């Protein structure tokens, strides 16, 4: 009897991380627009306060808040208009007791003023006097210097994925280029004599190739680049030569199919033969995903990943290993999990963790409920029906109806 000696998810992750950590992740400088979607490889510190001066958030009059005390619709206070601030120009005047100065939205609030009153609450009796019909408190409608970003503050940390709003923050700081991590370059090889392309009508015994497309799309979702992609017949020499030819310019070569123990399952022996460090893991204590293989080739710096052929298993293992490795190397945060309660009891697989797909439902009281999506990992629709997954522990009794779980969304 030839049983796989399986690793836990943590063991398999640690082995691949230890192998590739030495090499680290390459970084590249990108302009702030080109950097969107990439992960920051440096901390971004604010060298000067933003905004650099106190700004009004409304069109109105800069005042001393104390002067407006008791003002109301029936009982205005009268203030002397001593000037007007122009947009883009410094406020050169100083405000004294009983005075006000017109300031447009975004304009500099003059020294001496500590609040703004909107024009809607003011009435001009002459160009020199305004009746103010509203009392305002200190700081009203004023953004303080440094309120957006303080000098010396680490505004964006390494590991932050740059979204449009981060591009805006970088522009506010006057930073036009940042150091980001180069995405993983992934090559995908799908193997199987039974595979035909989606354009073809499968003959009896044949199936359309799902994994090339599912894995390609998932890699793009993770912001990886696709370096090479091919579909191969079950042929050991062909697989070996193809993997070898993809290794020099790939961070990860993924082989889907042929990872189990059938007569034609040769991925493990190919990885063992061509990777300088051989096979690290052949078998994961995970359901689905048991027939998973990892290995590493030091000279080319390539991680070799043999994924189970079953489509749902292939995609989940890719996320659990390659997605995790990316986050481990770059510090990118995992997407927040959603807290939900299980809709039903769920037994666990003894000695294995289970990656249980779930669909989320909202109860009338607002609580999220995780409903297991059941079915073979050979079915792609168990993924399309699911909103995310729950990982249950290898020693756990299983999950109880009503138990709180974290659902990782995909
Ligand atoms: N005797 C055993 N048999 C199997 C075991 C086991 O432990 N002992 N594990 C099962 C599990 S779990 C999985 S997962 C599969 C993994 O098999 P392989 O990685 O060797 O993959 P194949 O045999 O090539 O394919 C399995 C299955 O998936 C379909 N497939 C493969 N590639 C694609 C693709 N690109 N698009 C769509 N479908 C694909 C293939 O047609 C097979 O139906 O092994 C179990 N067996
Ligand atoms: O990995 Mo199989 O269950 O892991 O489809």
């Amino acid at each position: 009897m030839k049983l796989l000696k399986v690793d836990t998810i943590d063991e398999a992750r640690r082995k691949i991380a230890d192998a590739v950590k030495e090499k680290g992740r390459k970084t590249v400088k990108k302009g702030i627009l080109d950097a969107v979607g990439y992960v920051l490889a440096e901390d971004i510190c604010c060298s000067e306060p933003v905004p650099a001066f106190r700004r009004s958030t409304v069109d109105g009059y800069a005042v001393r808040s104390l002067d407006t005390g008791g003002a109301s619709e029936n009982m205005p206070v009268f203030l002397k208009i001593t000037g007007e601030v122009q947009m883009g120009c410094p406020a050169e005047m100083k405000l004294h007791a009983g005075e006000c100065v017109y300031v447009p939205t975004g304009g500099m609030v003059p020294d001496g003023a500590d609040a703004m009153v909107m024009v809607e609450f003011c009435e001009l009796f002459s160009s020199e006097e305004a009746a103010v019909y509203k009392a305002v408190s200190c700081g009203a409608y004023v953004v303080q210097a440094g309120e957006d970003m303080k000098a010396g503050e680490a505004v964006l940390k390494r590991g932050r994925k740059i979204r449009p709003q981060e591009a805006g923050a970088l522009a506010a700081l006057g930073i036009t280029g940042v150091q980001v991590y180069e995405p993983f370059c992934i090559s995908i090889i799908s193997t199987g004599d039974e595979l035909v392309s989606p354009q073809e009508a499968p003959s009896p015994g044949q199936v359309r190739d799902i994994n090339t497309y599912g894995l390609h799309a998932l890699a793009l979702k993770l912001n990886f680049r696709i370096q090479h992609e091919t579909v191969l017949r079950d042929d050991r020499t062909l697989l070996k030569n193809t993997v070898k030819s993809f290794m020099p310019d790939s961070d990860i070569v993924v082989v889907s199919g042929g990872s189990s123990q059938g007569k034609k399952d040769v991925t493990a022996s190919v990885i063992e033969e061509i990777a300088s460090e051989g096979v690290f893991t052949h078998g994961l204590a995970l359901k689905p995903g048991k027939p998973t293989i990892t290995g590493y080739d030091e000279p080319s710096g390539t991680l070799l990943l043999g994924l189970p052929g079953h489509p749902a298993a292939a995609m989940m293992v890719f996320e659990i290993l390659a997605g995790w490795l990316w986050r481990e190397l770059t510090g990118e945060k995992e997407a927040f999990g959603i807290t939900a309660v299980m809709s039903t009891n769920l037994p666990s697989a003894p000695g294995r963790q289970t990656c249980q797909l779930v669909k989320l439902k909202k109860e009338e009281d607002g609580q999220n409920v995780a409903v297991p999506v059941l079915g073979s990992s050979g079915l792609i629709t168990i993924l399309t029906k699911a909103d995310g997954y729950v990982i249950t522990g290898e020693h756990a009794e299983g999950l109880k109806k009503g138990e709180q779980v974290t659902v990782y969304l995909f």
Side-chain angles (χ1 to χ4, degrees):
M1 203 161 69
K2 191 170 164 244
L3 295 177
L4 295 179
K5 192 194 153 300
V6 294
D7 279 344
T8 62
I9 296 178
D10 282 349
E11 285 165 344
R13 284 175 166 175
R14 200 36 51 212
K15 287 178 183 176
I16 57 174
D18 286 348
V20 304
K21 247 188 176 149
E22 186 86 354
K23 191 179 150 208
R25 211 45 238 137
K26 277 179 271 170
T27 69
V28 63
K29 186 143 187 156
K30 293 264 175 204
I32 54 176
L33 289 180
D34 292 337
V36 173
Y38 284 77
V39 175
L40 261 182
E42 58 177 338
D43 290 343
I44 300 294
C45 282
C46 178
S47 56
E48 59 200 37
V50 177
F53 54 90
R54 293 190 309 150
R55 304 179 75 187
S56 168
T57 63
V58 295
D59 295 313
Y61 288 88
V63 296
R64 288 160 51 123
S65 54
L66 274 180
D67 288 348
T68 67
S72 69
E73 251 178 75
N74 305 323
M75 185 76 75
V77 297
F78 293 89
L79 299 176
K80 186 173 172 210
I81 303 171
T82 55
E84 178 168 341
V85 170
Q86 303 298 324
M87 275 311 269
C89 297
E92 272 154 356
M93 66 291 282
K94 185 169 162 72
L95 202 99
H96 302 99
E99 294 176 352
C100 65
V101 165
Y102 179 80
V103 182
T105 303
M108 186 186 282
V109 175
D111 283 349
D114 65 7
M116 291 291 302
V117 186
M118 287 194 264
V119 283
E120 295 88 315
F121 298 101
C122 301
E123 196 175 358
L124 298 194
F125 286 111
S126 72
S127 62
E128 286 174 8
E129 194 176 39
V132 174
Y133 291 95
K134 194 177 177 190
V136 285
S137 53
C138 177
Y141 306 112
V142 176
V143 169
Q144 303 298 326
E147 189 173 328
D148 211 356
M149 300 184 240
K150 289 185 184 42
E153 182 188 350
V155 180
L156 302 173
K157 295 251 175 73
R158 170 189 166 268
R160 169 66 68 92
K161 162 103 63 69
I162 301 180
R163 302 167 297 174
Q165 52 268 53
E166 276 76 32
L170 290 166
L173 289 168
I175 294 173
T176 54
V178 285
Q179 211 65 31
V180 294
Y181 287 106
E182 291 255 36
F184 277 156
C185 285
I186 306 282
S187 291
I188 300 170
I189 303 172
S190 293
T191 64
D193 289 337
E194 73 283 20
L195 301 179
V196 297
S197 72
Q199 296 85 341
E200 290 174 71
S203 301
Q206 295 183 322
V207 289
R208 292 198 176 97
D209 172 18
I210 296 173
N211 295 359
T212 305
Y213 296 85
L215 292 170
H216 183 131
L218 182 54
L220 293 184
K221 189 178 162 211
L222 291 163
N223 280 309
F224 302 164
R225 301 279 173 273
I226 305 298
Q227 197 70 9
H228 306 280
E229 192 166 84
T230 191
V231 181
L232 302 179
R233 301 282 147 235
D234 290 314
D235 178 309
R236 192 178 187 285
T237 310
L238 187 58
L239 179 64
K240 183 177 129 186
N241 292 339
T242 309
V243 174
K244 267 174 113 172
S245 72
F246 288 175
M247 277 161 52
D249 56 357
S250 306
D251 294 303
I252 306 181
V253 176
V254 175
V255 180
S256 99
S259 64
S260 186
Q261 306 213 53
K263 289 183 190 155
K264 294 189 168 180
D265 293 337
V266 294
T267 309
S269 81
V270 165
I271 294 180
E272 185 64 34
E273 189 184 334
I274 59 181
S276 68
E277 309 304 298
V279 166
F280 292 153
T281 294
H282 188 186
L284 209 51
L286 178 68
K287 182 179 173 233
K290 189 171 79 172
T292 293
I293 304 156
T294 69
Y296 187 65
D297 182 59
E298 179 81 50
S300 58
T302 319
L303 179 69
L304 300 165
L305 208 51
L307 299 179
H310 282 158
M315 290 181 68
M316 292 172 87
V317 173
F318 186 76
E319 161 64 36
I320 282 170
L321 293 184
W324 174 86
L325 182 64
W326 171 257
R327 293 188 285 271
E328 177 72 3
L329 294 180
T330 62
E332 184 183 339
K333 301 249 172 329
E334 193 161 13
F336 278 118
I338 283 197
T339 302
V341 295
M342 290 303 296
S343 67
T344 174
N345 290 342
L346 197 74
S348 67
R352 285 166 92 184
Q353 286 174 294
T354 301
C355 191
Q356 178 60 53
L357 294 167
V358 293
K359 184 156 188 51
L360 284 170
K361 264 188 10 193
K362 206 155 207 72
E363 293 287 87
E364 271 173 19
D365 62 3
Q367 184 155 59
N368 294 317
V369 176
V371 184
V373 176
L374 302 172
S376 158
S377 56
L379 310 178
I380 185 65
T381 50
I382 61 166
L383 284 179
T384 60
K385 287 174 189 158
D387 295 309
Y389 61 90
V390 171
I391 295 202
T392 67
E394 64 197 294
H395 304 300
E397 302 277 284
L399 295 170
K400 300 256 177 312
K401 180 177 176 178
E403 189 171 334
Q404 206 172 64
V405 288
T406 301
V407 179
Y408 298 98
L409 302 178
F410 41 53

